[in-house]
Amino acid sequence: MGGVEDIVIVGAGIAGLTTSLGLHRLGIRSLVLESSDSLRTTGFAFTTWANAWKALDAVGLASSLRQHHQRILGNVTTSTISGLQTSKTSFEVKGKQLNAVHVVCSAEHEVRCVQRKLLLEALAEELPSGTIRYSSKVVSLEESGSVMLVHLADGTILRTKNKLKICEWKVLIGCDGVNSVVAKWLHFKKPAFAGRSAIRGFADFKRNHGFENKFIQFFGEGFRYGFLPCDDSKVYWFFTWTPSSQDKEIEDNPARMKQFVLGKLEKVPDEIRNVIENTELDGMTSSAIRYRHPWELLWGNVSKGNVCVAGDALHPMTPDIGQGGCSALEDGVVLARCLGQALLKKPSEDKREDKMEREGDHDEYTRIESGLKKYAKERKWRSINLITTAYIVGYIQGGGGKAISFLRDKILARFLAGFMLKMADFDCGKLI
């Protein structure tokens, strides 16, 4: 078993904690640096599709989380312009997933809306005490000759030699969100503004809300909103739109934010309006939607030496196919598996004893570098596919104008709903 500093993970989000837990399951300890003083639970909830449950099964958390989140059985889409239903899709169908040994198998589409807080707490509780170090913000990375330095805001410096003798850590993984210091060091640009913003909310009725187990979506002139039940009393909702210069005033004002969303609800049932009205002011948040240009991943370095990125640091995407958090779970499993293969491999037995330590360190670094390259290769095209699909679907779903509305409501409605199932029809494999 490696020392606690063998692998340093920046960011205790979904990707960071999943990677750490995956490594822990393999007997490899890691240190997770989190800039906040506690787990960051903003975002309230997110849709977990079949691919996410495959990843959660791999790290041993799926069963416990299923107990607290009801299954979503289908999707219903309605136009607020006409008031007519434009599509209805069942999630009680089977897809064809490519499993870890590249065999196509039949698998059900499992869809649930998972509370982010419960997921992060479940991940953190499975980790050894002391794995997460809070109030530890990484401010910069520095290469000094053969030594890599990680500078923290409190003045702490973590260091390693790049190739030969390992000092404090062996692998650095950036899972520190869209403004990732590690991604910047790998020469990725800041994520681009998609031209839209999102308001997310979470309503706790404290009683049975009466909603069916369905993902309900509405489209209007240049906006989209959706509602998903998490359990019998809690409903997660979102609203995306193209903001004007006047809309900037609502971003930091929850009361105005709430009235803004209510003002956009046109031909919708009273139960839908009731969800927004029952959302507390501290149960809403607003943010600009950002994404990484897919060609950056095509030409960029997902890993370099013993450094790599995962989660939002790797593939920030628009939320239109619900794969941001799901793909972060995938990243964690794949990355833990690749590092496990590199770190748990025994050195060659035919080395002379006096050369064992020096050559062993060099061999281990080479295996780590190869393992991260393997991870990057596995995740690059998957990430490019997700980012591109999400952007195109979002452009059509959130577009305004008669032409886009006609195309979306009359021709592409069923096709767009099917896209979500297609992107979720994926198996990241087991840890071993």
Side-chain angles (χ1 to χ4, degrees):
M1 179 180 290
V4 70
E5 292 87 6
D6 277 359
I7 297 179
V8 175
I9 299 171
V10 185
I14 294 174
L17 293 181
T18 304
T19 303
S20 183
L21 181 55
L23 291 167
H24 173 60
R25 299 292 195 223
L26 295 173
I28 302 169
R29 300 185 68 181
S30 60
L31 174 65
V32 182
L33 302 176
E34 171 54 46
S35 59
S36 301
D37 58 5
S38 62
L39 286 175
R40 290 174 289 122
T41 57
T42 55
F44 306 117
F46 68 100
T47 313
T48 49
W49 299 83
N51 57 313
W53 290 104
K54 291 288 184 182
L56 288 168
D57 274 322
V59 294
L61 283 184
S63 296
S64 61
L65 287 169
R66 286 185 178 106
Q67 297 175 18
H68 301 286
H69 301 91
Q70 63 189 33
R71 191 161 181 173
I72 307 297
L73 302 180
N75 173 78
V76 178
T77 303
T78 304
S79 169
T80 62
I81 299 172
S82 65
L84 300 176
Q85 187 179 112
T86 59
S87 74
K88 186 176 181 180
T89 305
S90 173
F91 294 160
E92 296 181 278
V93 295
K94 290 188 176 183
K96 293 182 178 179
Q97 295 180 342
L98 192 68
N99 66 20
V101 292
H102 307 295
V103 176
V104 175
C105 58
S106 179
E108 289 188 347
H109 283 288
E110 181 178 3
V111 186
R112 302 173 195 266
C113 186
V114 169
Q115 297 177 60
R116 181 181 172 88
K117 182 175 184 291
L118 293 186
L119 172 61
L120 292 182
E121 288 177 347
L123 287 165
E125 286 171 2
E126 292 293 311
L127 294 172
S129 177
T131 298
I132 306 173
R133 184 188 295 176
Y134 294 105
S135 302
S136 299
K137 183 178 181 180
V138 174
V139 293
S140 66
L141 304 182
E142 177 188 359
E143 278 188 292
S144 179
S146 63
V147 179
M148 170 76 77
L149 306 176
V150 180
H151 295 268
L152 305 186
D154 63 3
T156 302
I157 300 176
L158 304 179
R159 69 187 70 214
T160 185
K161 286 187 178 180
N162 282 345
K163 293 186 177 179
L164 297 178
K165 184 66 179 176
I166 305 297
C167 296
E168 293 186 17
W169 53 267
K170 299 176 182 179
V171 185
L172 179 67
I173 303 169
C175 302
D176 40 341
V178 294
N179 296 314
S180 169
V181 173
V182 183
K184 182 179 179 181
W185 183 82
L186 289 170
H187 302 297
F188 283 114
K189 297 179 181 178
K190 286 187 176 182
F193 176 46
R196 294 180 294 136
S197 292
I199 294 174
R200 297 174 174 87
F202 193 73
D204 187 351
F205 285 77
K206 309 295 184 182
R207 63 185 189 283
N208 195 306
H209 49 59
F211 270 80
E212 292 185 81
N213 294 10
K214 292 182 179 179
F215 177 13
I216 303 172
Q217 290 190 92
F218 295 89
F219 295 101
E221 189 67 33
F223 62 86
R224 166 187 175 234
Y225 46 95
F227 301 81
L228 298 99
C230 292
D231 56 27
D232 291 337
S233 62
K234 302 178 185 67
V235 178
Y236 168 68
W237 59 268
F238 62 83
F239 173 81
T240 63
W241 85 106
T242 302
S244 65
S245 56
Q246 291 81 10
D247 293 339
K248 292 181 179 180
E249 299 176 5
I250 72 171
E251 291 182 359
D252 300 317
N253 189 325
R256 294 192 63 176
M257 197 185 301
K258 188 172 186 176
Q259 291 305 312
F260 176 76
V261 176
L262 286 170
K264 294 290 185 179
L265 298 177
E266 297 173 356
K267 299 176 182 179
V268 300
D270 289 340
E271 63 177 359
I272 296 298
R273 184 178 294 274
N274 193 36
V275 173
I276 310 298
E277 291 175 341
N278 276 275
T279 303
E280 300 292 338
L281 295 184
D282 61 358
M284 293 184 291
T285 184
S286 176
S287 61
I289 295 175
R290 300 189 179 277
Y291 73 107
R292 189 172 302 293
H293 292 302
W295 52 84
E296 283 192 64
L297 295 183
L298 183 62
W299 304 115
N301 293 316
V302 176
S303 71
K304 180 182 177 183
N306 55 348
V307 179
C308 73
V309 284
D312 280 346
L314 170 61
H315 46 59
M317 65 186 74
T318 65
D320 305 286
I321 57 173
Q323 280 295 332
C326 299
S327 56
L329 287 166
E330 291 178 9
D331 289 345
V333 173
V334 176
L335 183 50
R337 180 171 64 239
C338 291
L339 283 174
Q341 291 169 351
L343 291 170
L344 298 177
K345 183 177 180 181
K346 295 181 180 180
S348 301
E349 295 180 359
D350 59 351
K351 292 178 179 177
R352 292 183 178 273
E353 195 170 321
D354 59 346
K355 294 183 179 180
M356 183 71 77
E357 184 177 355
R358 178 173 58 83
E359 293 183 0
D361 285 337
H362 178 70
D363 181 59
E364 184 176 58
Y365 179 89
T366 301
R367 284 187 279 111
I368 288 171
E369 186 176 32
S370 297
L372 293 183
K373 285 181 179 179
K374 181 180 179 182
Y375 156 76
K377 183 178 180 180
E378 283 195 43
R379 300 307 296 163
K380 176 178 286 188
W381 287 107
R382 171 69 171 163
S383 300
I384 289 172
N385 192 12
L386 291 174
I387 292 171
T388 305
T389 302
Y391 183 87
I392 293 172
V393 170
Y395 178 81
I396 297 172
Q397 287 182 331
K402 293 183 179 180
I404 290 292
S405 296
F406 176 82
L407 185 67
R408 178 186 65 223
D409 297 345
K410 302 296 183 180
I411 301 174
L412 295 177
R414 291 184 179 274
F415 185 67
L416 294 174
F419 252 131
M420 293 187 288
L421 289 178
K422 183 178 180 180
M423 292 297 102
D425 200 8
F426 183 85
D427 186 352
C428 64
K430 309 292 184 182
L431 284 173
I432 300 177

